[in-house]
Amino acid sequence: MSVRSFGSGPGHDGTTSTETALTGDDESPEGIKVRLREEKRIRLKVDFRLCTIAGILCSLNLLDSGIISSAAVTSMLHDLGLDHGNRYSVSILIFTVASVCFQLPATLAVRMMGPRSFFAFVTFCFGLITMCTAFIHTWRQMIIMRVLLGISMSGIYPGLALLISSWYRREELQLRFAFLQVGEVIVLATGGIVNYGLNHLSGHGGLKGWQWMYLVQGLIACIIGIVTYWWIVDFPERSDQSFFFLSQEEARVATSRIQRDRGDVVPAPFSWAEILRHFLDPKIYGFAASFFLLNLVSTSLSYFLPIILQNGMGFSSNKAILLSAPPYYYAAIPVILSSRIGDKYRLRGPVITFNSLCLIAGFGMLGFADQVTVRYVGTYLATGAYVSNWAALNSYQASNITGQWKRAVTAAAVTACNGLGGVAGSFIVRQQEAPRYLTAVWVSIGSHIFIIGIVAAFSVIFYIANSRQKQGRKIIEETEGFRYTY
């Protein structure tokens, strides 16, 4: 086990010759000003090339949930026999189970294959499978399609989290994860409106409305997969392999700024021992539990919001599809605002706690208010809060670990537990509990009370560890000079 260090200049214990070269910048006052201007320009370039396509790719999981939830208030459940027992919930569950099983190898594949090849391939496969779903006839065929979709999606979330955390300093992460969420929720919300329009094509070309939803949006995903190969960028140390991106000097500046922040630009040689030892860190399980609890809510809302609007609030099928979109457009506001505050002041725990309290208030309105308007406003609060916390929790875990393989392991672990939360979340919205859905309400409230408790415990642990590090009594994350962000 080696100890990393970060900073500039030669002679740091544990810093390889490559790492020293990466941090060899002019540290004079004028040199620092020039460097900061250049870093800002390069960061904006990375934002344009990475955050744009990453937000679209990140939306594919919610695109799937948007299609199937919109289709669920059309004739699809009856046509495929999904309206018997809990078959619809099982079709959601099986997608998540397949995704969870493949997340660790898929995340490692992002590192080994490179982001361009990996994301282009899995996105095209996702689109192709989605298109094929338009032509199935039985619920058993739907289950098979859901398994294949889950496998194709397994590496996208953790792979993007790994790639973004590799390109940005810790005080920049939450806003970049927020950019992902904004792209994701805008695509999801727009997908709801598109589904509303596609549902009106029912009968055209011999296809029903739900079949048009799968066919058209699957084709769009295939096109996105082709564009991804040329648009997305590689990891910082391999940025010269990206298509028309950074010059060699710009790549050196980009890697240098990451090296100064946490000293882990250059990954250690791959070995399974290196991968597996990171599972001994208890922080990973705390982060993973938080994502499990968060996705209880996101799954119940994203998959069942149109059903809640139709059965719980009395809206028609088309209105339920249409009214499920605005809460996601609204979510772009709190996720950007809370992320800017979190990055500016390097706050993670307080932001997560505030978002959790907003979600508790939103579900209280959804579950206990009598007026439909108040209940609908509650969906805005709940949606904005869980979307904001996705960005906050991702930056929370990425800010408090170092090492490229540990980032891969943590990203896979938290996404796997995020998926397991989806398994549980797919069963907490019970049709027989309409219009109140009290099980979903109480589970969602309780889950976020637990998230607040986990954050409070971590804050105490991180404070004590930072205090010991300041006194020279502890090295955090095997990296000299590293301190936790909480």
Side-chain angles (χ1 to χ4, degrees), residues 47-241:
D47 287 343
F48 179 65
R49 284 290 297 271
L50 178 55
C51 292
T52 49
I53 190 66
I56 295 172
L57 294 177
C58 199
S59 72
L60 293 180
N61 189 30
L62 284 183
L63 177 69
D64 168 75
S65 65
I67 296 173
I68 195 171
S69 62
S70 295
V73 294
T74 67
S75 63
M76 184 191 73
L77 299 186
H78 175 73
D79 294 342
L80 300 180
L82 289 168
D83 54 351
H84 296 287
N86 61 353
R87 289 176 183 174
Y88 177 63
S89 291
V90 170
S91 70
I92 296 171
L93 179 150
I94 203 69
F95 170 94
T96 307
V97 171
S99 180
V100 167
C101 291
F102 283 84
Q103 266 160 2
L104 180 57
T107 307
L108 297 179
V110 176
R111 254 287 167 196
M112 296 174 179
M113 290 176 60
R116 294 177 63 201
S117 298
F118 178 84
F119 288 118
F121 175 72
V122 298
T123 303
F124 186 86
C125 289
F126 173 86
L128 187 61
I129 297 165
T130 300
M131 290 176 64
C132 291
T133 305
F135 303 103
I136 62 175
H137 300 285
T138 69
W139 68 272
R140 290 183 177 86
Q141 292 170 345
M142 172 61 95
I143 296 298
I144 294 172
M145 291 295 104
R146 301 293 295 167
V147 170
L148 295 176
L149 282 170
I151 294 172
S152 67
M153 281 295 301
S154 59
I156 291 183
Y157 261 25
L160 288 172
L162 172 63
L163 183 59
I164 285 181
S165 65
S166 300
W167 269 105
Y168 293 98
R169 294 170 61 89
R170 284 175 289 163
E171 69 270 16
E172 301 164 350
L173 280 174
Q174 188 167 341
L175 186 59
R176 272 67 198 182
F177 282 120
F179 290 158
L180 254 71
Q181 285 300 95
V182 169
E184 184 176 23
V185 296
I186 287 177
V187 170
L188 175 64
T190 305
I193 297 172
V194 170
N195 288 333
Y196 171 79
L198 292 174
N199 195 38
H200 283 80
L201 292 178
S202 185
H204 289 74
L207 299 177
K208 297 187 177 181
W210 66 268
Q211 292 175 299
W212 279 109
M213 295 179 196
Y214 277 103
L215 183 62
V216 172
Q217 293 179 73
L219 177 61
I220 292 172
C222 286
I223 295 171
I224 292 172
I226 295 171
V227 172
T228 296
Y229 184 78
W230 284 277
W231 191 261
I232 202 166
V233 302
D234 213 311
F235 288 97
E237 76 278 9
R238 300 201 303 252
S239 58
D240 59 325
Q241 299 179 21

Side-chain angles (χ1 to χ4, degrees), residues 279-294:
F279 284 102
L280 299 176
D281 187 346
K283 291 198 304 295
I284 291 179
Y285 301 98
F287 295 141
S290 299
F291 275 86
F292 173 88
L293 296 167
L294 177 68

